[in-house]
Amino acid sequence: MEWFLVTSAAVILFLQNYPLYIRSVPTENELKFHYMVHTSLDVVDEKISAMGKALVDQRELYLGLLYPTEDYKVYGYVTNSKVKFVMVVDSSNTALRDNEIRSMFRKLHNSYTDVMCNPFYNPGDRIQSRAFDGMVTSMMIQVC
Amino acid sequence: MRTRGAERLLGRGGRRMADAALFEFLHTEMVAELWAQDPDPGPGGQKMSLSVLEGMGFRVGQALGERLPRETLAFREELDVLKFLCKDVWAAVFQKQMDSLRTNHQGTYVLQDNSFPLLIRMASGLQYLEEAPKFLAFTCGLLRGTLSTLGIKSLVTASVAALPACKFQVVIQRS
């Protein structure tokens, strides 16, 4: 059965291939997003290992467009602490440009750093910070 | 109320001095607090307090490892991470860089600081040598925590031959 999708998006954070944070809008499609994100992890790992061997001094944190499917575009970003951020946006949302995605990842990184510095957060746990949720919500509203 | 003149006088140098002094005093109090309960806790108790200090340093290092390299490009290899520790982390916490970094290229690194800020006001020579380890435990944890966030498991120990110079030995644990 074809479902009718209004523009949607998702944000997932991974540490060593297990998720620290998953958020998608609208929430009914979470399962599909989970699947897509797990496959995109392989692409992220591929890009990271390619970076290590590259002769070009390409050591940026932003990985760019990982792969476009017909419905979605998947973007990746990896921090120095090996936390991988994956963002999935609807392909119909053509208004999003590369530098906007970059700035969103930067915001995510800054908020994640704040989560790390929170004394009530144990590194490796799932992120339950409301402040972080709020930041992601406002970002997704911008996108959708 | 800060006047324009005062701002210019304090400037950035003054601010950093205040930050450094704050950390030094806080650190001194932390060590004192752990030993205040029982000034002579015996070898078992002594180990416990040292590991508490190291644990504190570890958590601080974890957060620092996330915050500090934010704008830095991705690290290519292990040695880059150690150089980052010696230059950026040391500069951020102690306002100076490590004096020397040596390695056997097989996972052991020795970081030497000839005038470690947390020891410099204690003595210069052999006085208080037995007390020095207490003041290095937190920093060992800090190094271990930062390395842990950057993906490197390690064991960090410190040794002092004569204040205020000290060496931190980092042994990478490969599983």
Side-chain angles (χ1 to χ4, degrees):
Chain A
M1 188 196 88
E2 256 309 291
W3 22 262
F4 178 61
L5 261 185
V6 187
T7 52
S8 49
V11 163
I12 300 93
L13 269 75
F14 284 93
L15 174 67
Q16 284 154 19
N17 303 338
Y18 70 83
L20 284 181
Y21 184 82
I22 302 176
R23 183 74 170 292
S24 62
V25 162
T27 44
E28 305 91 68
N29 305 309
E30 237 177 77
L31 204 57
K32 190 171 197 238
F33 281 120
H34 281 222
Y35 168 72
M36 197 179 331
V37 162
H38 274 281
T39 51
S40 61
L41 262 187
D42 288 333
V43 187
V44 173
D45 283 335
E46 221 183 273
K47 281 232 171 176
I48 294 176
S49 57
M51 229 161 53
K53 301 186 184 94
L55 298 161
V56 183
D57 195 26
Q58 222 269 75
R59 292 181 299 151
E60 274 209 44
L61 302 179
Y62 176 63
L63 298 173
L65 185 60
L66 296 178
Y67 70 89
T69 65
E70 56 181 42
D71 299 319
Y72 302 101
K73 297 204 205 110
V74 183
Y75 295 91
Y77 181 96
V78 67
T79 70
N80 269 316
S81 47
K82 310 291 179 281
V83 174
K84 304 168 185 115
F85 296 1
V86 175
M87 210 183 318
V88 179
V89 282
D90 204 8
S91 280
S92 60
N93 198 334
T94 48
L96 271 181
R97 277 165 312 163
D98 197 58
N99 55 354
E100 283 172 12
I101 305 273
R102 274 179 201 263
S103 74
M104 288 205 275
F105 273 128
R106 212 174 309 131
K107 257 199 271 184
L108 268 176
H109 193 175
N110 288 343
S111 301
Y112 175 70
T113 310
D114 288 340
V115 166
M116 254 304 223
C117 298
N118 185 342
F120 297 108
Y121 175 72
N122 291 319
D125 287 351
R126 295 206 68 150
I127 297 176
Q128 291 169 325
S129 153
R130 279 185 234 163
F132 192 77
D133 277 338
M135 187 274 313
V136 176
T137 309
S138 64
M139 225 169 59
M140 313 259 275
I141 290 177
Q142 251 187 313
V143 168
C144 297
Chain B
M1 185 189 71
R2 282 260 212 89
T3 64
R4 279 288 200 87
E7 286 251 4
R8 238 174 287 143
L9 257 177
L10 279 175
R12 284 163 85 217
R15 217 315 186 39
R16 285 164 115 216
M17 211 155 68
D19 288 343
L22 273 173
F23 175 60
E24 249 179 70
F25 296 154
L26 185 62
H27 180 261
T28 309
E29 283 313 299
M30 263 169 26
V31 178
E33 186 58 32
L34 277 168
W35 259 263
Q37 270 86 38
D38 185 357
D40 187 18
Q46 170 110 216
K47 254 193 165 163
M48 175 77 146
S49 307
L50 285 176
S51 65
V52 168
L53 275 173
E54 211 263 355
M56 283 194 219
F58 182 75
R59 183 63 181 93
V60 173
Q62 280 185 312
L64 203 64
E66 193 63 57
R67 183 156 242 144
L68 223 48
R70 222 155 10 157
E71 295 306 316
T72 331
L73 298 174
F75 294 122
R76 269 276 184 89
E77 46 168 42
E78 203 173 78
L79 189 60
D80 285 339
V81 180
L82 266 296
K83 286 195 200 154
F84 174 77
L85 276 187
C86 292
K87 291 206 204 132
D88 302 85
V89 175
W90 227 243
V93 185
F94 300 113
Q95 287 76 41
K96 69 183 284 277
Q97 295 192 358
M98 193 71 78
D99 290 312
S100 92
L101 168 66
R102 291 198 305 273
T103 174
N104 66 355
H105 294 289
Q106 276 160 15
T108 302
Y109 297 86
V110 177
L111 290 68
Q112 177 149 349
D113 191 332
N114 294 327
S115 58
F116 188 51
L118 296 178
L119 293 178
I120 215 170
R121 304 197 193 289
M122 243 188 270
S124 91
L126 299 173
Q127 195 184 20
Y128 299 124
L129 196 62
E130 333 76 63
E131 312 284 346
K134 290 184 206 162
F135 293 87
L136 297 170
F138 180 86
T139 311
C140 288
L142 187 83
L143 287 169
R144 191 168 67 91
T146 311
L147 282 168
S148 151
T149 306
L150 296 171
I152 299 177
K153 254 187 139 178
S154 62
L155 209 64
V156 183
T157 50
S159 62
V160 189
L163 279 74
C166 63
K167 289 198 194 144
F168 295 93
Q169 184 174 326
V170 178
V171 179
I172 313 287
Q173 316 274 300
R174 303 198 207 277
S175 45

